[in-house]
Each structure stands twice: as C-alpha cells, then as structure tokens.
Amino acid sequence: MEKGSIVFFKPTRFEDCMKCINYIKEDKILHINLGDLDSEKSQRVLDFISGAIHIQEGIILNPGEKIYCSIPKTVKYELNYKEAPKTLLDRRVDEEEEIIPKYKK
C-alpha cells in the first residue's frame, strides 16, 4: 500500500487495535467503524487509537455515529457538511474546569 492510502477497518474486538496502530504508524488514512462494538469496548479502542494518532501528530475526525477517521499530519482534508447544533444534553463539562457558583445579591 502506498503512503496516503485509505484503510477501511471495522474491529470486532479490542485486540484488533494493533492492526490500526500499524496503519497509523505508516501514515495511512484510517476509517474506523466501531458499529460492532458495545460502548465500553468502543471507548477503549478509541482511547488506544487516539494515543497513537496523537504520537504521530495526526488528527481524528468523527464524521458519523461510531465512525472515526484518522488523518496523518501530512494530509490535507476538507469537511463538506454541517454538524447538527448541539443540545444541552450534548455539552460536556471539562473535568479540569473550575465551576464557580454565582450568588444573587
């Protein structure tokens, strides 16, 4: 496979991550479909793969539900869709962010 190739991957267990790591090391664009994994295993796979992407200075995109795409730092990309507006339920508070209560005077 040539550098800049796209690999479509659908892991069925956590151990399949090692194949993904090799593709990331080779600067392949990796399209990962986590649809066959439960939420706990999906999160473990995503955490593991995210670490490898970070080390390679690439980025990870989430173009769909349980779909992730690893983009090497040397590849340019363009997103041609608009994300749905986030609702209050979608917003997450950063764990390190300090929450300061406001009191009425």
Side-chain angles (χ1 to χ4, degrees):
M1 246 191 222
E2 295 179 20
K3 191 173 186 174
S5 299
I6 300 174
V7 177
F8 293 88
F9 194 76
K10 191 172 188 180
T12 56
R13 56 196 181 114
F14 178 76
E15 290 76 13
D16 293 339
C17 288
M18 291 313 296
K19 292 177 188 175
C20 293
I21 301 304
N22 290 331
Y23 294 132
I24 292 167
K25 282 193 221 175
E26 296 170 2
D27 284 337
K28 307 278 191 260
I29 298 169
L30 183 61
H31 178 278
I32 307 161
N33 182 339
L34 299 176
D36 286 349
L37 299 176
D38 62 36
S39 60
E40 183 181 324
K41 286 181 185 163
S42 291
Q43 189 61 53
R44 285 184 66 210
V45 168
L46 188 58
D47 290 344
F48 192 73
I49 290 170
S50 294
I53 294 166
H54 178 74
I55 289 170
Q56 292 294 104
E57 299 178 8
I59 62 165
I60 189 163
L61 301 174
N62 179 219
E65 188 174 337
K66 290 196 165 195
I67 303 291
Y68 297 90
C69 192
S70 161
I71 309 287
K73 68 179 179 182
T74 57
V75 175
K76 293 182 180 182
Y77 68 94
E78 183 177 330
L79 291 176
N80 283 326
Y81 64 88
K82 293 181 181 179
E83 292 185 18
K86 294 188 180 221
T87 66
L88 288 175
L89 297 176
D90 293 335
R91 295 186 185 143
R92 295 185 179 161
V93 176
D94 186 357
E95 293 178 33
E96 295 178 9
E97 181 180 326
E98 182 179 3
I99 300 173
I100 302 171
K102 294 182 180 179
Y103 300 99
K104 292 182 182 180
K105 292 183 179 179

